[in-house]
Every structure is written in C-alpha cells, then in structure tokens.
Amino acid sequence: MKNLKFRQPIPAARLPVVFTAAIIYLLQFTSSVSPPPLPILPIPTAQQISWQLAEMALFLHFGTNTFTDSEWGTGHADPSVFDPTEFDATQWVAVAKQSGFSRVILTAKHHDGFCLWPSDYTDYSVKSSSWRNGTGDVLRDLAEAARIGGVQLGVYLSPWDRHESCYGKTLEYNEFYLGQMTELLTRYGEIREVWLDGAKGEGEKDMEYFFDGWFSFIHQHQPGAVIFSDAGPDTRWIGDEAGVAGSTCWSLFNRTNDMIGNTDSNYSYSGQGDPFGHDWVPAECDVSIRPGWFWHASESPKSALTLLDLYYKSVGRNCLLLLNVPPNSSGLISQEDIQVLQEFSEIRSSIFSHSLAEGASVSASSTRGDLTDPRYSPHNVLEQGTQSYWAPGSAQSEWTLYLDLQETVTFNVLMVQEPIQMGQRIIGFRLDFLNEDGEWQVAAKGTTVGYKRLLLFHSVRASHLRLVVEESRAEPLIAYVGAYMDPHSVVRRIPELSSASLINGSHPLQQATNRIASS
C-alpha cells in the first residue's frame, strides 16, 4: 500500500488566526454582492407589463353607425346598410404601425348589437349585409392583417345589446354573451386585450352581468390578454373620455371601491388611483381623434399638437393612450386622419428620439450595496427601458441623482421611469438645475411616476441637474431619466414659488426660485 503523506497539523494556538483570515477572505467575495431590493406590493402581471410597454393603441369604431350617421344605434338599422366597398384591414394596420401604435382594438359589437363577424348566435351581423354578398368577416381580415403586420389585436364586445331579444333575461343573455365571446376568443388567433364596459342608456332594461365569470373565462381562453373595464380586473378606465389622466396617477387601486357601469362612481378615484390600493390596475385613457366615436362626414380630426398634449397627459402620466380613429363608410381610415397621425408621429420622434442627458456623468446620494456592483449603479438611469435601475442605500430621508451633462444644453421636458416590475413607489419628486449664479433652482415638480412620467416646463439652460425624490412608499428605484427639447408645445406661465432644501447634508443651503410647471 502506498504511503500517504499528510501536511503538518496546524497548531491549536494558530487556529483562531486561520479561521479569522478565512472569514475575511470569504467576506471579500460575499460582501460586494447585495440581493435586489424586495418588490413592494402590488406588482403587475407579465400581461400588464406588456400592455404598458405598448403605450398607445388605436380604437376602431366601425359598424352600421358608420353608415347611418349615428353614435348609439337603436339596434333596428337594416344590416344591408353596412357596405364598405373599399374595406382594407391592411390599411388600418399599416396606419397604426406607421404612426407608432402597436395595438388595434375593434368594436366587434357595439351597443346596437350588429356583429362584424358572422356569429352563430344572431343573424344581425355581416352575414345579413350586402357587403361581399354576406360572406365577409371584418374581424377575420383584421386579425390576419395584424398578424402579418406584427400588431397586437384587441376586441370590444359591448355587454349592452339593443337588438338581442333576450337582453334583460339574466341567465339567457349571459349565456348568449359568453357564447359570442367564445367565438371571438377561439376563432381569431391571439387576442391581447378584451375591452368591455357598463355603458347603457337611461330607461333601458335592467340587466345583471356575470362579470367575474366572464373574466375567468377570458383569461382561460386567452391567457395573454388583459381585460379592460371601468374597474379592471387588469386595466381600468381613467374616468373621462377626454384622454386625460390626473396629474397624480397610481396603478394601485382597490377594485372593491368601484363598480362597472355605476353612474355614481367616484371618477376622481379612477383618475388618480390609490397609493394604498391592494390591486395593480393601471389606467387607460380613451379619446377619439374626432368629436364622435364613429365616423361622420361633417367632422374633422384633432390637430397633431392636440394629440401631443394628450400624449403628455396620458402616456406621460403612467397610462396607455387609446386613441379612436374611426374608419369611414368606404371602409378606410380617412386621409385627413392619416395626415394628422403622421404629423403626430413625426413630432414625437423629433422630441424623444434623443435624450440630451444621454452622455451625462451620473452620481447619487447613495447606492445600494458595493459601489462596484453595476446592477444598482446610478449610471443605469441613462439606459432606455425599465429592466435596469438605480437603487439607493437604505435609511435615507431624500434620494438624489446628480447629472453632469458635460455641456450646457437647453431643454423643457423631463422623462422619468420606474421599474414597475418592482412596484410603484415614488410619491413626489423635483428637478433642480444649477443656474448661472451657482445656485440650485427648481425647474419642475411632480408627484407619481410609475411606468413613465413626462414633465413639460419652461425652457432651462444648464449643464448640471439633480433629480430629488422627496417622498416614496419605499426606497425609490429609478429606471430612466431623460431630458428633451419640445419646440412645439406652449407652456402656460406658472406663478413663482420659493423653496429651499438640504440634500443629505452634503450641499449648502440653496435658494430655489423660479417658474415651476407642476405637470
């Protein structure tokens, strides 16, 4: 047997020294790695994150109302009036995609009950129209065009049905509605959003909808879809049809505090959300490019600058902008609407294609874990998207990012984003700039951030900025900070406001006085 050789044993007197050295050696490798901060509940589902990333969707109101110059059809229009002789779903999708909209939502059935697909449950549909001799299917063509064009598809199926005779009979109509919903969810490929509401005219039949059953059924058949209604479950109505969110807008919400179709609902609650909410239900801002929701020959579209203002007040306030662009009676999106959408796209691109802070040097009042850990570095806020972020150290009363732009620039728009997968945190923040006198001066103040916050203010010329989070539900996490110049928008004059602040005791007291835009 081969002789085994052993090292000399370590003397007992030296053991404490050896163990101490080993511990120190291990700590050198473990102390620099800090785990990510805990998410703060509630947090969004993967489907809700995908919905939020879309930012904008086109609503397509189309049906017999398009041909009868109506908004709310009676349910008695002759199906033969529906005859869009130049219908082209490919044009609809191309307009959406070229204008920066990654989702289209079709009114498969509006309140009049006319179906844009050949439903097995009613003859009041395209199969009774003269269009394509009753063989057409608007939803089929749109689903195919969207699939080829790489645009997400959504459907609106109105619960209120002014044509169907069983409407008002609770069990019978709920079965009828779910039967039609099944057709939409199983015949047309992937559906990314199901849109429904509680709209109903005064004096109409009483009707109890089995919403909870509908929602479970939709999620079962289309697990990638989000469901919109007045109160969720996945995305909520903002509370108006003007496309404008509250200047404070939480994705947090208590669904039990609202009811679908309740005309006595607290719309300010829908508009602002709830910092103490237990559910994640972000808001959707719906508005039409024209005065009406359906196309009318006598109406004209809003201007591109009006749409830009709506973008600031919807997407720029943590919401999705759902812009209705109704096809005309020929079956096409009108050229004047297309022109406005193209101008809107060009204006957005001219403002947001390049951040003036892109090459900045960034530092922070504190950083989570070891300063060499890039996962929480303040430099992450210059990277587009919400996957990476700056995380500060704990036990701070205010949290500050410092940006040295390397050169003097002029800008009037601030973009801030939170990594919403970690929850919505920020309650209040401000942007300061170093003026020519070497004093910190307030450029703009805001409240909530969420997925995206845009603040528009009077032009500032500076090379040094600081973003100060003044209040937060937990340690704030910031995914992105961008500075932009918008030469198109006119900012209303804001009265002067004076304030002073100390930042973590590391800077002298500075006077902050200026015109402040509270967007």
Side-chain angles (χ1 to χ4, degrees):
M1 182 177 177
K2 186 177 180 180
N3 292 332
L4 299 178
K5 295 183 179 180
F6 296 93
R7 294 181 58 189
Q8 288 288 336
I10 300 173
R14 291 184 58 205
L15 282 175
V17 177
V18 172
F19 285 137
T20 301
I23 292 172
I24 292 174
Y25 178 80
L26 289 172
L27 285 176
Q28 287 177 342
F29 291 92
T30 58
S31 63
S32 62
V33 179
S34 294
L38 290 173
I40 181 168
L41 299 178
I43 58 175
T45 64
Q47 293 84 354
Q48 288 172 320
I49 291 175
S50 175
W51 169 89
Q52 190 98 57
L53 291 174
E55 292 198 356
M56 300 189 300
L58 276 194
F59 217 170
L60 299 164
H61 276 63
F62 192 52
T64 54
N65 292 349
T66 308
F67 301 85
T68 60
D69 204 29
S70 304
E71 282 291 304
W72 278 12
T74 63
H76 301 298
D78 191 322
S80 65
V81 303
F82 184 82
D83 190 20
T85 55
E86 299 178 44
F87 168 72
D88 185 1
T90 301
Q91 186 238 22
W92 298 2
V93 169
V95 169
K97 193 170 183 178
Q98 292 166 9
S99 304
F101 293 78
S102 58
R103 177 172 296 187
V104 293
I105 301 175
L106 176 68
T107 55
K109 183 185 78 171
H110 204 253
H111 310 321
D112 62 332
F114 183 81
C115 300
L116 295 181
W117 81 101
S119 174
D120 294 336
Y121 298 96
T122 181
D123 291 328
Y124 199 55
S125 75
V126 287
K127 66 185 178 184
S128 297
S129 72
S130 56
W131 176 57
R132 294 182 180 174
N133 296 317
T135 64
D137 186 336
V138 174
L139 184 54
R140 179 193 62 203
D141 287 10
L142 181 59
E144 180 66 8
R147 184 188 64 80
I148 294 173
V151 171
Q152 300 169 5
L153 177 65
V155 292
Y156 169 67
L157 186 67
S158 170
W160 181 30
D161 190 323
R162 305 185 78 178
H163 177 83
E164 178 52 43
S165 60
C166 72
Y167 186 83
K169 302 173 184 177
T170 299
L171 181 60
E172 191 175 345
Y173 182 74
N174 274 275
E175 290 177 342
F176 170 84
Y177 184 88
L178 209 55
Q180 290 197 322
M181 181 65 78
T182 302
E183 293 177 329
L184 301 184
L185 300 181
T186 59
R187 294 181 180 178
Y188 299 99
E190 186 177 24
I191 304 296
R192 297 300 296 273
E193 184 163 353
V194 176
W195 214 94
L196 53 91
D197 57 21
K200 187 173 69 173
E202 293 184 12
E204 294 290 332
K205 299 175 185 177
D206 289 334
M207 184 71 224
E208 179 186 355
Y209 305 125
F210 296 165
F211 283 120
D212 288 340
W214 296 358
F215 296 158
S216 296
F217 187 84
I218 293 167
H219 281 148
Q220 180 187 84
H221 285 272
Q222 290 285 346
V226 295
I227 302 172
F228 167 95
S229 81
D230 304 25
D234 301 315
T235 174
R236 73 180 193 267
W237 186 41
I238 198 61
D240 62 54
E241 292 184 342
V244 176
S247 57
T248 294
C249 191
W250 292 95
S251 293
L252 283 62
F253 195 70
N254 277 329
R255 291 187 58 212
T256 55
N257 287 4
D258 210 345
M259 185 181 298
I260 303 172
N262 181 11
T263 56
D264 296 324
S265 291
N266 182 356
Y267 293 136
S268 65
Y269 184 75
S270 298
Q272 295 187 5
D274 188 343
F276 303 103
H278 299 294
D279 306 305
W280 185 278
V281 190
E284 191 163 301
C285 298
D286 59 327
V287 62
S288 185
I289 197 171
R290 290 166 173 255
W293 289 92
F294 285 87
W295 177 83
H296 304 281
S298 61
E299 295 180 352
S300 299
K302 295 175 171 62
S303 69
L305 288 181
T306 298
L307 297 187
L308 178 64
D309 183 59
L310 291 172
Y311 181 82
Y312 279 115
K313 294 174 180 176
S314 56
V315 176
R317 292 179 178 178
N318 189 38
C319 300
L320 182 139
L321 173 61
L322 178 59
L323 180 65
N324 179 62
V325 181
N328 59 32
S329 57
S330 70
L332 299 172
I333 294 176
S334 298
Q335 192 58 44
E336 55 185 339
D337 293 8
I338 294 174
Q339 180 64 35
V340 169
L341 290 171
Q342 289 176 340
E343 292 174 3
F344 175 42
S345 177
E346 291 167 1
I347 289 173
R348 292 197 325 274
S349 179
S350 71
I351 298 169
F352 297 109
S353 61
H354 172 68
S355 170
L356 297 171
E358 187 176 58
S361 172
V362 188
S363 60
S365 54
S366 65
T367 300
R368 182 178 181 85
D370 193 287
L371 293 177
T372 62
D373 191 339
R375 293 176 300 164
Y376 316 120
S377 168
H379 191 76
N380 290 339
V381 303
L382 301 181
E383 299 177 13
Q384 289 274 5
T386 59
Q387 289 306 305
S388 62
Y389 52 85
W390 164 64
S394 59
Q396 307 288 315
S397 58
E398 281 190 335
W399 305 267
T400 307
L401 280 170
Y402 301 93
L403 288 85
D404 178 355
L405 305 181
Q406 309 296 321
E407 61 179 346
T408 301
V409 300
T410 301
F411 66 100
N412 62 356
V413 177
L414 172 71
M415 182 190 297
V416 184
Q417 293 184 274
E418 291 183 85
I420 57 173
Q421 69 272 17
M422 304 293 287
Q424 188 176 354
R425 299 165 179 249
I426 296 174
I427 298 173
F429 69 98
R430 73 175 190 271
L431 177 70
D432 298 340
F433 68 98
L434 202 62
N435 65 21
E436 294 178 350
D437 297 326
E439 298 179 337
W440 287 111
Q441 198 166 321
V442 180
K445 302 189 75 171
T447 52
T448 49
V449 175
Y451 166 70
K452 180 174 288 187
R453 187 61 190 268
L454 295 172
L455 294 182
L456 176 65
F457 43 88
H458 295 279
S459 295
V460 166
R461 182 170 171 79
S463 60
H464 290 79
L465 310 176
R466 68 180 181 187
L467 182 70
V468 182
V469 178
E470 299 174 323
E471 190 174 2
S472 185
R473 295 174 63 229
E475 281 78 17
L477 307 177
I478 296 180
Y480 183 72
V481 177
Y484 304 89
M485 185 63 207
D486 176 358
H488 311 281
S489 301
V490 177
V491 184
R492 62 186 176 88
R493 188 175 182 84
I494 308 296
E496 291 191 355
L497 175 68
S498 295
S499 63
S501 60
L502 270 172
I503 302 302
N504 297 328
S506 61
H507 287 262
L509 191 65
Q510 309 276 1
Q511 188 178 22
T513 59
N514 197 21
R515 298 170 297 180
I516 296 175
S518 300
S519 300

